[in-house]
Amino acid sequence: MNGKPAKRWLGFVQAHAYIYDDDLIPGSKILAIGDAPQSHVNLAHPEEVFYEYLARIANHLQVLRTSGKPLKMLHLGAGALTLARWASVVYPGSKHVAVDIERELLDFVLTQLPLPSGCNLTPVVADARSVLAEELAEEKFDAIVLDIFSGPEAPEHLTTPEYYTELRESLTEDGLLFVNIGDDPPLRFTKSQVAAARSAFDFVMLSSTPEMFTARYPGNLILAASKKQVPEELVDRCQAAGPYPAEVRSGLDLDRFSKP
């Protein structure tokens, strides 16, 4: 690690956040909370997404929104704002709202990791559920990224079918929801989130590495949901887009995985 990491106390989670150099990728930084790395950003090339689960979301979005037209994106759980930085290059002219309950984290990241030129971002300090009914009640988004919880320790009010309904109502008619789910075997939490999303959305797919679908390993899965059905061809293209190895399940394949 080159140099001394920047450090900020986070009052809500009662832990320090650190930002330090990634020695393997010049121009890159890692955000950690406590001892756990949370986010990675390449300041020199924000279009490059290093962490696998974030790259999976980025690749899915590029398959499902190929036009390159500007997007209006909502990031629930700010982290290091990796996907907002990425989209400022891939979808120039996009507008972003980043919500985090941790005021110090938003300030720390924006101070230590300046946004790319042309990245139009509005930070909001709020709860990821109440913000939809309050500060953002009149807003509709082309894409929402929920990147807050991991397994059964997740805040319960962010895991219910009712919350997925509220997320649906905050999307445009062809909008997309992406949820990062961290889980441990036998992936009961993941299956509960698939069921909750299916109660609100017409289309749900789950993606990860193939071994995650054996439910024998801990890791991250990406849930994607839409108000409209996604053609099977595009589902296959999401899988082909990687990162590799990749497996995407929807429809009957997701039914089989989701059984208790």
Side-chain angles (χ1 to χ4, degrees), residues 49-60 207-210 238-247:
V49 180
F50 183 72
Y51 278 9
E52 182 181 274
Y53 81 91
L54 289 172
R56 210 171 292 282
I57 295 174
N59 291 349
H60 289 350
S207 60
S208 189
T209 55
C238 283
Q239 180 166 307
Y244 306 106
E247 185 169 336

Side-chain angles (χ1 to χ4, degrees), residues 14-192:
Q14 293 290 291
H16 276 104
Y18 301 90
I19 292 175
Y20 52 88
D21 294 335
D22 178 357
D23 295 337
L24 299 177
I25 305 177
S28 295
K29 300 280 187 177
I30 294 171
L31 167 69
I33 297 177
D35 296 327
Q38 299 287 329
S39 300
H40 181 282
V41 295
N42 189 333
L43 296 176
H45 296 282
E47 72 280 6
E48 297 180 1
V49 180
F50 183 72
Y51 278 9
E52 182 181 274
Y53 81 91
L54 289 172
R56 210 171 292 282
I57 295 174
N59 291 349
H60 289 350
L61 186 54
Q62 280 194 280
V63 167
L64 300 173
R65 289 291 176 273
T66 57
S67 68
K69 292 180 180 178
L71 300 174
K72 187 175 180 182
M73 294 185 66
L74 173 61
H75 308 265
L76 296 171
L81 304 170
T82 304
L83 289 180
R85 300 168 192 273
W86 166 83
S88 71
V89 177
V90 177
Y91 297 91
S94 295
K95 295 182 179 179
H96 303 272
V97 177
V99 176
D100 205 288
I101 201 167
E102 191 72 72
R103 181 184 301 275
E104 292 90 347
L105 180 61
L106 277 169
D107 178 71
F108 184 50
V109 167
L110 291 171
T111 300
Q112 296 293 325
L113 303 173
L115 295 173
S117 175
C119 184
N120 183 343
L121 183 137
T122 301
V124 177
V125 178
D127 172 77
R129 183 166 183 178
S130 63
V131 71
L132 301 179
E134 297 173 6
E135 292 94 333
L136 303 178
E138 304 303 319
E139 303 284 347
K140 299 288 185 184
F141 296 91
D142 300 307
I144 297 176
V145 178
L146 177 61
D147 186 8
I148 291 175
F149 50 68
S150 181
E153 296 180 0
E156 185 176 354
H157 70 297
L158 303 181
T159 67
T160 65
E162 292 78 14
Y163 183 45
Y164 279 90
T165 297
E166 292 165 16
L167 290 165
R168 173 192 170 101
E169 291 171 353
S170 295
L171 287 168
T172 59
E173 281 307 305
D174 59 351
L176 297 164
L177 170 68
F178 298 99
V179 184
N180 174 38
I181 304 173
D183 204 0
D184 295 311
L187 304 187
R188 291 191 184 95
F189 178 68
T190 300
K191 294 175 182 181
S192 75

